[in-house]
Amino acid sequence: MDATEHEDHGPATARDTVDVAVIGGGAAGLTLALHLREQRPGTRIVVLERQAHPVPEAAHKVGESTVEIAGYYLREVLGLEEHLRSQQLKKYGLRVFFSKDGNDDITRRVELGHAVRPPGAVGTYQLDRGRLENALGAELGARGVEFLSGAKADAVELLPDEEHHRLTVHTEDGAVRHIRARWVVDATGRASLLKRRLGLAKKVGHRANAVWFRVGCPIDVDQWSDDPGWRARIEEGRRELSTNHLMGPGYWVWLIRLASGSTSVGIVTDPGFHSFDGLNRFERALDWLDRHEPQCAGVIRRHRDQLQDFRVMKDYAYSSEQVFSADRWCLAGEAGVFLDPLYSPGLDLIAISNSLIVDLLTHALDGEDVEELAAIHNQVFLLIAEGWLSIYENQYALMGHARVMLSKVIWDTAVYWAVPGLLYFHDVLRHLVDRPDMVTGLARFSAASREVQRFFREWGAVDDEPHEQTPFVRFYDFDFMRSLHIGMTAGLSDEELNTRFADNITFIEHLSGQLVATVLAEFEAQPWNPAKAEQAKRWRADEALMALVEVHLRERGARPLSDQWIRLRPADEAVGTGETR
């Protein structure tokens, strides 16, 4: 292309005319550029990142833990298996310890987690974010993508009626470049450059705060006790490689071991339970841990001289009115939506968003009219994000109720594997417009999810009595959990996938109905408890909940389902059917 002149932008050379300009070179922007380059090799891409590279390995960012969708994306879609194997840590799943007797002895706390390693096909990872981003930056250079670190986009002019948008960029060496781009992708994270400019910020109902820091040494929860019985719970693998969660009323604490040798520690709280002012400095956070998690606090105090950083985020959750536009711009990753670190959805949303963006850009750069496709992909992503948000809204109070929260974690995990996980592993989300039956199934799933999340809140608000439960609950104690987990990797044909997906939707309704039926029967068996009796009457009169119970009653004959995941009794005890009259 010949050089051209713009009065206000100076000369624009062929080098500065690109198909896609990605503003932001963190995890979202770098993975998007790599994904697009892999999908459409001839695409001219420039990535602009303000921070100079290489960045510190233990980067000052949240989002070190991945779950199955993100693991699949990094490993299979982006081809980073060797990097993940050699430079990061294989995660040993989610692990939760619920509060018990002052939290000064971890062996007395009810534990949920894996006792054996999950199969590699559903592998997940603990990421040194800086190490990952340095590797991605190097990979982009090897693939012919221009990656400008230490570069700041001072001006971004969106010109949907012209062939190119315009960017003015100051590079690390002090030069000014005028870049013309057919598409602009905002991957600036919480800075949300385009979202702020376009007035698309959307508040959400979830309120929570987080502080986190890193210490330059491993923290191994297995060393918190030398009790042989407690240690013997783990048949293979290491607890320290789990994303370990310490939970209590209105809070959870994460412990994430990193390949660089550091450990990430985070405290996430509901402001209705814990004042942010009591956590927003390291010494205050340490004092808070003394009160709520003394065993953890003692370990950190022994290593406080190895503190590497400290960061806070107040009222961190947000969304966007729009994330993709046929006017040739997109919001990627946290530039559009951030929900909550519980269950580690951040890189999952990046994987889903990037897959939709790459599909949109591929069609657009191939000369197709993408107005309808942009609207559909925008709707799909926001529906997924908003559905995920219901998992967190007004739910932190449940973290002080071990039985309720444990049942919720099992349910949340099961439905994640059954629906979004299955669809992502089979690359269906970008083709939903061609699958009306799946859209209908997703609507059913969304409806059931809303009702069950409300049910958990109502159950937790009334049922504050302690329950005797097995001290260690394994995800694979329940056959349906193992089946759903491995089922994501089945590699089904379109017809088989349609059948499996429909079966999974019905199963989720069956599981949900069993939950309602089991707890309702317990409440109705205690007429002397006025709070439970009144709540049972409300549930009995709730048409949506009773419809889920009807599915359970209809399906239990063909698909018997143990209620152990709700009652949480030792595995060798007989279990009931969760029936209701």
Side-chain angles (χ1 to χ4, degrees):
M1 181 180 294
D2 294 334
T4 59
E5 184 80 12
H6 293 292
E7 182 178 82
D8 56 346
H9 276 259
T13 65
R15 183 173 75 101
D16 290 325
T17 301
V18 299
D19 295 312
V20 181
V22 180
I23 309 172
L30 293 170
T31 54
L32 173 67
L34 181 59
H35 189 174
L36 180 58
R37 187 70 170 190
E38 180 71 17
Q39 181 72 25
R40 194 175 184 274
T43 308
R44 296 166 298 173
I45 307 166
V46 62
V47 179
L48 312 171
E49 166 56 28
R50 294 186 63 167
Q51 187 173 7
H53 268 229
V55 298
E57 284 193 332
H60 201 54
K61 297 182 179 181
V62 71
E64 298 133 323
S65 172
T66 69
V67 283
E68 285 79 5
I69 288 176
Y72 181 87
Y73 180 64
L74 295 171
R75 183 178 61 249
E76 306 295 338
V77 178
L78 300 184
L80 298 174
E81 183 171 11
E82 173 58 25
H83 170 80
L84 295 168
R85 184 194 63 78
S86 62
Q87 301 298 316
Q88 308 289 355
L89 293 180
K90 184 77 174 290
K91 176 177 166 179
Y92 191 31
L94 169 68
R95 189 169 306 276
V96 183
F97 297 92
F98 296 93
S99 287
K100 182 78 171 180
D101 299 336
N103 296 336
D104 58 359
D105 181 354
I106 199 166
T107 67
R108 296 202 299 266
R109 303 176 74 158
V110 173
E111 176 183 2
L112 169 67
H114 286 290
V116 297
R117 293 188 186 92
V122 288
T124 57
Y125 308 92
Q126 313 281 42
L127 302 176
D128 273 295
R129 285 285 297 272
R131 182 176 288 190
L132 173 66
E133 291 172 17
N134 288 335
L136 287 168
E139 184 65 22
L140 287 180
R143 300 280 186 98
V145 175
E146 187 175 18
F147 176 43
L148 298 178
S149 70
K152 180 182 178 183
D154 285 325
V156 179
E157 189 176 359
L158 297 179
L159 301 169
D161 295 327
E162 298 186 16
E163 186 177 356
H164 295 93
H165 304 305
R166 300 174 187 170
L167 299 85
T168 300
V169 179
H170 282 77
T171 61
E172 188 175 21
D173 60 4
V176 178
R177 287 180 59 179
H178 302 286
I179 294 175
R180 302 192 310 168
R182 294 173 66 185
W183 282 79
V184 172
V185 177
D186 181 1
T188 57
R190 300 182 73 85
S192 302
L193 177 68
L194 293 186
K195 183 170 70 175
R196 293 177 188 275
R197 174 175 299 182
L198 297 171
L200 297 174
K202 182 179 180 181
K203 292 184 178 181
V204 298
H206 180 46
R207 295 287 176 268
N209 304 315
V211 306
W212 71 96
F213 53 92
R214 292 165 183 80
V215 291
C217 64
I219 294 178
D220 182 359
V221 295
D222 252 329
Q223 302 305 312
W224 292 12
S225 175
D226 57 5
D227 181 90
W230 183 77
R231 289 191 170 183
R233 292 177 182 176
I234 307 303
E235 298 171 32
E236 59 180 29
R238 294 151 55 193
R239 276 190 180 96
E240 67 170 328
L241 296 181
S242 294
T243 302
N244 287 293
H245 292 48
L246 311 175
M247 272 191 184
Y251 78 86
W252 60 285
V253 175
W254 79 64
L255 296 165
I256 301 175
R257 173 78 190 279
L258 302 173
S260 60
S262 299
T263 300
S264 174
V265 183
I267 305 170
V268 190
T269 58
D270 182 327
F273 288 78
H274 305 275
S275 169
F276 185 63
D277 291 341
L279 289 158
N280 60 0
R281 299 287 187 274
F282 176 69
E283 290 299 332
R284 296 174 185 176
L286 200 51
D287 289 343
W288 184 96
L289 286 169
D290 283 335
R291 296 191 299 274
H292 299 279
E293 294 290 344
Q295 196 168 20
C296 179
V299 173
I300 293 170
R301 286 191 180 280
R302 288 196 294 273
H303 299 289
R304 62 183 303 164
D305 60 325
Q306 298 180 67
L307 179 69
Q308 295 176 312
D309 53 35
F310 184 82
R311 189 173 180 183
V312 305
M313 281 198 304
K314 185 176 183 180
D315 196 16
Y316 51 67
Y318 56 85
S319 186
S320 182
E321 298 289 349
Q322 185 177 0
V323 289
F324 312 142
S325 172
D327 286 340
R328 307 196 318 276
W329 58 263
C330 298
L331 311 182
E334 293 179 23
V337 173
F338 184 84
L339 303 179
D340 195 278
L342 182 66
Y343 301 137
S344 307
L347 280 165
D348 272 17
L349 288 174
I350 287 173
I352 294 168
S353 171
N354 282 2
S355 297
L356 295 171
I357 291 172
V358 167
D359 186 62
L360 177 63
L361 294 181
T362 298
H363 285 283
L365 295 173
D366 286 345
E368 299 178 30
D369 183 342
V370 295
E371 184 171 1
E372 182 178 5
L373 185 63
I376 291 169
H377 281 5
N378 182 74
Q379 184 178 23
V380 166
F381 180 78
L382 291 179
L383 283 173
I384 291 171
E386 289 167 7
W388 234 313
L389 188 62
S390 68
I391 293 172
Y392 306 109
E393 288 181 307
N394 302 311
Q395 302 283 35
Y396 271 49
L398 302 181
M399 295 175 181
H401 298 273
R403 183 190 175 201
V404 178
M405 191 65 197
L406 204 154
S407 297
K408 173 178 160 57
V409 172
I410 292 171
W411 191 91
D412 289 344
T413 304
V415 302
Y416 168 78
W417 292 340
V419 181
L422 179 73
L423 296 184
Y424 191 84
F425 271 57
H426 287 81
D427 192 24
V428 169
L429 293 176
R430 61 194 179 100
H431 300 301
L432 282 178
V433 67
D434 301 319
R435 294 174 177 262
D437 289 346
M438 282 192 171
V439 174
T440 301
L442 282 171
R444 284 172 51 194
F445 164 70
S446 296
S449 182
R450 286 193 301 271
E451 298 304 326
V452 171
Q453 298 300 340
R454 174 174 60 86
F455 180 82
F456 280 127
R457 290 193 296 271
E458 293 171 351
W459 179 17
V462 175
D463 192 7
D464 57 357
E465 298 176 7
H467 290 263
E468 290 299 322
Q469 18 190 107
T470 181
F472 182 36
V473 180
R474 300 170 289 262
F475 283 112
Y476 284 179
D477 278 344
F478 319 109
D479 289 341
F480 67 86
M481 293 293 283
R482 185 190 300 269
S483 175
L484 292 173
H485 200 193
I486 307 307
M488 293 187 294
T489 70
L492 303 172
S493 68
D494 285 351
E495 184 176 351
E496 291 169 333
L497 181 61
N498 287 340
T499 300
R500 176 71 60 82
F501 179 74
D503 183 62
N504 280 4
I505 296 298
T506 299
F507 174 73
I508 292 304
E509 293 173 335
H510 177 21
L511 193 72
S512 304
Q514 184 188 49
L515 172 70
V516 175
T518 302
V519 178
L520 176 57
E522 290 182 6
F523 276 33
E524 289 183 332
Q526 300 179 47
W528 58 85
N529 186 316
K532 289 186 176 181
E534 185 58 35
Q535 182 60 69
K537 289 179 182 178
R538 289 194 292 270
W539 285 337
R540 181 69 70 182
D542 189 307
E543 293 183 3
L545 293 180
M546 289 303 103
L548 293 173
V549 171
E550 286 302 317
V551 175
H552 163 59
L553 296 176
R554 184 179 70 242
E555 293 291 323
R556 64 183 178 177
R559 190 166 186 173
L561 184 61
S562 164
D563 64 2
Q564 184 188 338
W565 70 279
I566 310 163
R567 297 186 186 277
L568 301 175
R569 295 174 298 186
D572 57 353
E573 285 192 13
V575 296
T577 60
E579 296 182 20
T580 188
R581 295 186 301 276

